[in-house]
């Protein structure tokens, strides 16, 4: 999570994780476009308004949705997990942009990493907790 300056363009980095999804997010001064894995954000997030608003929520909280372009490399998990990972990455990048942004983002819960992940399968069971059918005779 470092700010880098390449040829007069300031970039702010943030990494977000959710379930098995990882999103590396760059914030670049621009017009509010979102690009995920080289595709427009609305196309990648399947034009789902819930996923789009989730990913852009930290920017909307601070009123910066039209001031920064969001460039994302996302992999792992599904679209829902990646949208959550993007949200965390954007929030962390915004904290790097200005430390004063931390308080409003923290109160909204955008800086909290959701620790829930799939439970591992145990031997002798079909899934993590599903046991074979019991036979009395």
């Amino acid at each position: 999570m470092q700010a880098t300056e390449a040829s007069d363009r300031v970039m702010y980095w943030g990494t977000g994780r959710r379930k098995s999804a990882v999103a590396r997010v760059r914030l670049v001064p621009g017009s509010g476009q979102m690009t995920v894995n080289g595709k427009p954000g609305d196309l990648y997030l399947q034009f789902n308004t819930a996923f789009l608003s989730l990913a852009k929520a930290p920017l909307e909280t601070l009123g910066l949705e039209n001031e920064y372009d969001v460039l994302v490399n996302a992999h792992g998990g599904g679209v829902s997990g990646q949208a959550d990972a993007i949200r965390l990455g954007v929030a962390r990048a915004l904290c790097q942009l200005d430390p004063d942004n931390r308080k409003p983002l923290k109160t909204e819960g955008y800086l909290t990493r959701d620790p829930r992940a799939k439970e591992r399968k145990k031997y002798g069971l079909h899934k993590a907790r599903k046991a074979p059918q019991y036979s009395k005779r």
Side-chain angles (χ1 to χ4, degrees):
M1 293 193 325
Q2 293 179 349
T4 57
E5 201 166 324
S7 67
D8 280 348
R9 275 182 79 163
V10 179
M11 284 191 270
Y12 301 95
W13 289 86
T15 303
R17 293 182 188 87
R18 169 76 173 97
K19 291 187 177 178
S20 61
V22 179
R24 293 179 304 173
V25 178
R26 286 181 296 172
L27 286 184
V28 181
S31 59
Q33 304 253 323
M34 180 182 279
T35 307
V36 183
N37 293 348
K39 296 180 184 176
D42 52 355
L43 175 67
Y44 188 86
L45 296 174
Q46 303 172 353
F47 298 98
N48 188 323
T49 53
F51 293 155
L52 286 165
S53 62
L54 189 72
K56 294 181 179 181
L59 289 167
E60 291 168 0
T61 299
L62 300 174
L64 301 172
E65 59 266 16
N66 295 327
E67 295 182 32
Y68 289 94
D69 288 342
V70 181
L71 306 171
V72 182
N73 278 344
H75 67 274
V79 182
S80 174
Q82 287 183 357
D84 261 345
I86 292 169
R87 182 183 75 172
L88 179 59
V90 168
R92 286 179 172 174
L94 287 169
C95 284
Q96 195 177 31
L97 182 139
D98 184 9
D100 295 336
N101 291 341
R102 184 167 175 82
K103 187 157 176 76
L105 292 173
K106 189 73 175 169
T107 56
E108 292 291 323
Y110 296 146
L111 292 172
T112 305
R113 199 259 195 231
D114 193 340
R116 294 177 295 172
K118 188 170 180 176
E119 190 175 341
R120 79 171 204 80
K121 181 193 177 300
K122 282 82 170 186
Y123 59 87
L125 300 180
H126 290 304
K127 292 169 44 176
R129 298 188 182 194
K130 185 177 180 180
Q133 185 174 14
Y134 174 72
S135 174
K136 192 169 185 179
R137 289 182 186 84

